[in-house]
Amino acid sequence: IREAAAEWAVLLAGGSLDDRQQEALQQWLQADARHAEALVFAQRTWAALGRLPAEKPTPHRVATVAANVSRRPRRNARLRRWGAAACLTLLLGGLGLSQGERMLLPLLADHHMAGGEVRSLTLPDGSEVILDSGSAIRLDYSAAQRRVELLAGAAIFQVAPQTGRPFVVEAAGGTAQALGTRFLVQHEARGGALVGVLEHAVQVNAAQQQRRLEEGSSLRYDAAGMHDTTFDLQRATSWQRGLLVFDRQPLGQVIEELNRYRPGYILIGRDELMQREVSGVFRLDALDAALMTLTHEMQLQHRELMGVSLIY
């Protein structure tokens, strides 16, 4: 997947695709939900590499490069593209998607939250955004549009209205355009994104589909299309109030959430515990106490070892 994503990223960076290439790309994106996420990450990586400081040219180096180019003008275009894709593949392969994403976030993002950090920010147009732990955004404002790319995590947007200048949030290959004031966009662990409307409405565009989402509604989208979901938005956004709320959720999912906010790492020692249901309200500023309460109430053992909390 990473190899194909790298090749498509370099090809797209080189200009517009012909009809045959466009059809092949769409078939590849629709074949697996992971493909769109891999392509987005490959494109961001390629763009970030392009923004790194280049070697300062010297007159001798410029003359040498010009002479080489004049001797080999076009026949090396395909070779250069292949070489670029190969280098990008090596980078993505060495880092892996999740680790590489985390390492590149400080380079790519305008605002990046550390693990366990939740913060409210005011954007240049007066809109407010609340960023969840580990979340990151990049801004692309122009006279015609206010565009925010959610690179990782989740964010709640309170949009300042501006006539003729739409507010659009891009995430995981789709977009959500504000038709009102307040909504949630969240990256999903297995690819794609979730959009939930807290006030008014949002226009969602993804996988060549379009839908207007009304207040209180939510949907998930990925490369395969849009999917309706029954989602408790108040519970899902409880982190903005400094809380994590769980209602009969599997222990595996609960621990996955706690690991996003708590330093160190919690590991479940027995697979059969993963599906045990958990209900509770935990404070983000007291997650160590929450873990102790959780293990006590579920009658589990708890051991600490070199930053790893083992429960079994």
Side-chain angles (χ1 to χ4, degrees), residues 89-102:
T89 301
L90 286 174
L91 175 62
L92 298 179
L95 294 176
L97 284 178
S98 59
Q99 182 183 359
E101 183 87 10
R102 288 193 295 270

Side-chain angles (χ1 to χ4, degrees), residues 9 44 57-58 61 89 114 136 144 152 184 205-206 233 268 296 298 302 310:
R44 286 207 297 263
T58 64
R61 179 170 175 79
T89 301
L184 163 76
N205 292 272
L233 288 174
I268 301 177
H296 175 75
M298 299 186 71
H302 174 211
L310 177 65

Side-chain angles (χ1 to χ4, degrees), residues 120-304:
S120 177
L121 303 169
T122 301
L123 301 181
D125 64 319
S127 297
E128 301 284 336
V129 58
I130 306 175
L131 290 173
D132 194 11
S133 169
S135 299
I137 59 172
R138 181 168 57 193
L139 307 181
D140 183 14
Y141 276 32
S142 68
Q145 187 181 71
R146 298 166 290 168
R147 195 173 190 90
V148 179
E149 184 178 0
L150 180 65
L151 301 173
I156 298 172
F157 298 92
Q158 182 86 30
V159 179
Q162 288 190 6
T163 304
R165 198 168 175 231
F167 188 98
V168 179
V169 178
E170 178 183 347
T175 62
Q177 179 177 332
L179 302 178
T181 53
R182 196 160 178 262
F183 62 101
L184 163 76
V185 182
Q186 174 179 304
H187 275 275
E188 296 283 86
R190 284 165 288 278
L194 179 139
V195 179
V197 183
L198 300 167
E199 293 178 10
H200 301 109
V202 164
Q203 185 78 33
V204 182
N205 292 272
Q208 298 182 333
Q209 299 178 35
Q210 186 178 85
R211 188 182 303 182
R212 179 187 173 101
L213 203 58
E214 300 295 337
E215 183 172 323
S217 301
S218 60
L219 62 78
R220 288 183 168 91
Y221 66 77
D222 52 31
M226 297 182 184
H227 317 280
D228 291 318
T229 177
T230 54
F231 201 69
D232 187 340
L233 288 174
Q234 292 304 315
R235 180 169 57 81
T237 58
S238 61
W239 50 265
Q240 68 172 316
R241 304 188 299 274
L243 302 172
L244 291 179
V245 181
F246 302 105
D247 182 18
R248 300 184 64 181
Q249 288 183 251
L251 178 61
Q253 292 183 13
V254 173
I255 295 304
E256 184 178 331
E257 280 293 292
L258 293 181
N259 278 331
R260 293 184 56 238
Y261 295 92
R262 181 182 174 275
Y265 189 79
I266 307 171
L267 180 65
I268 301 177
R270 290 186 285 151
D271 289 343
E272 61 267 24
L273 298 178
M274 300 286 283
Q275 298 305 316
R276 286 187 60 178
E277 291 184 344
V278 175
S279 296
V281 178
F282 303 136
R283 287 174 46 190
L284 291 181
D285 60 357
L287 290 184
D288 284 339
L291 181 60
M292 297 297 293
T293 301
L294 180 66
T295 53
H296 175 75
E297 292 296 327
M298 299 186 71
Q299 298 182 344
L300 301 175
Q301 299 296 315
H302 174 211
R303 295 288 184 271
E304 294 282 344

